Amino acid sequence: KLGWDPIQGESHLDAMLRGELLTALAQFGHNGTQNEASRRFDAFLDDRNTALLPPDIRKAAYVAVMQNVTTSKRSGYESLLRVYRETDQSQEKTRILGSLASCPNPEIVLEVLNFVLSPEVRSQDAIYGVSVGVKGRETAWRWLKFSSYEKANEVEEFFANRSKLSIARTLKQSLERVHINAKWVQSIQNEQRLAEVVEELSSRKT
């Protein structure tokens, strides 16, 4: 039995396995795992050096926290963003990015996907933020398709003769964001074929 706490004399592989198993249990909605993860995460927020949440199992706790985040219950998400912004460790930042989109709430997933393209996230780290969970795959695929130059031009052309002065600034900012998304998505499509991967995942039966 691996449990949450390291065992004296255990191998490095056992320590890695612990983190992977706990993360999987959290994603599958195991109540005991999620409750313990929340307890340890709360302790971590109070003390970043607590022994209750060492690096090997932090992702499990982060994923567990995100499973219970909704648009009306955002405290866990906001807390993780705070940790992300406060840490100067790149490994910790990518660990958090790799956990955020595991949330089953599609609106939060969309918010996370937009966050990874913000100036707060280094371009080379953005790929970690699209690690969506099963329930977020369709949202991620729609977002990815929307974030294309073709779609950006389509939106711009549609509003070209329809925009009113009152929404001109908001529209301009939105179009700029679409073009930024499109540029990033095109780069990763060329390099890593991410679109095909997300499409494949979104079509799988769960």
Side-chain angles (χ1 to χ4, degrees):
K1 183 179 179 180
L2 289 172
W4 281 87
D5 299 309
I7 301 171
Q8 186 175 5
E10 71 179 5
S11 68
H12 177 63
L13 289 178
D14 283 343
M16 291 179 59
L17 180 60
R18 174 181 294 105
E20 294 296 329
L21 288 177
L22 289 172
T23 299
L25 287 170
Q27 288 177 317
F28 291 144
H30 184 260
N31 288 332
T33 300
Q34 291 188 354
N35 291 338
E36 181 62 15
S38 295
R39 183 182 77 85
R40 290 172 182 259
F41 182 67
D42 288 340
F44 175 71
L45 292 179
D46 291 334
D47 176 11
R48 297 290 196 274
N49 297 314
T50 179
L52 288 174
L53 200 63
D56 288 343
I57 60 173
R58 279 182 196 165
K59 184 173 182 179
Y62 297 165
V63 168
V65 167
M66 289 304 299
Q67 301 311 296
N68 296 305
V69 170
T70 65
T71 52
S72 60
K73 186 181 178 183
R74 300 169 54 89
S75 61
Y77 176 46
E78 299 294 347
S79 294
L80 271 176
L81 287 180
R82 186 169 71 251
V83 175
Y84 176 88
R85 288 162 177 153
E86 290 176 354
T87 185
D88 57 359
Q89 298 179 8
S90 59
Q91 186 176 14
E92 183 69 2
K93 285 183 179 293
T94 57
R95 184 182 294 121
I96 294 172
L97 288 174
S99 307
L100 292 176
S102 66
C103 181
N105 185 287
E107 293 182 29
I108 297 297
V109 170
L110 182 59
E111 189 172 334
V112 170
L113 292 172
N114 288 328
F115 170 73
V116 301
L117 295 186
S118 73
E120 292 191 72
V121 178
R122 298 187 307 173
S123 57
Q124 62 265 39
D125 292 342
I127 190 66
Y128 295 99
V130 296
S131 301
V132 296
V134 172
K135 294 183 179 180
R137 289 172 182 169
E138 184 175 353
T139 298
W141 176 233
R142 289 178 178 176
W143 172 84
L144 187 63
K145 288 195 295 184
F146 184 81
S147 299
S148 65
Y149 283 115
E150 180 180 355
K151 180 60 67 174
N153 293 332
E154 180 183 323
V155 171
E156 194 165 15
E157 289 174 6
F158 177 82
F159 282 104
N161 299 316
R162 294 178 174 84
S163 61
K164 297 180 180 180
L165 185 61
S166 59
I167 65 169
R169 182 178 179 182
T170 300
L171 177 60
K172 182 176 182 294
Q173 292 174 338
S174 297
L175 289 173
E176 287 175 351
R177 174 53 58 186
V178 171
H179 279 287
I180 290 172
N181 289 4
K183 183 177 181 180
W184 181 79
V185 168
Q186 185 180 61
S187 68
I188 59 175
Q189 284 175 331
N190 292 339
E191 294 177 6
Q192 302 185 32
R193 297 173 58 84
L194 180 61
E196 289 83 354
V197 174
V198 177
E199 181 177 22
E200 179 184 351
L201 291 174
S202 66
S203 63
R204 287 182 183 177
K205 294 182 179 180
T206 58

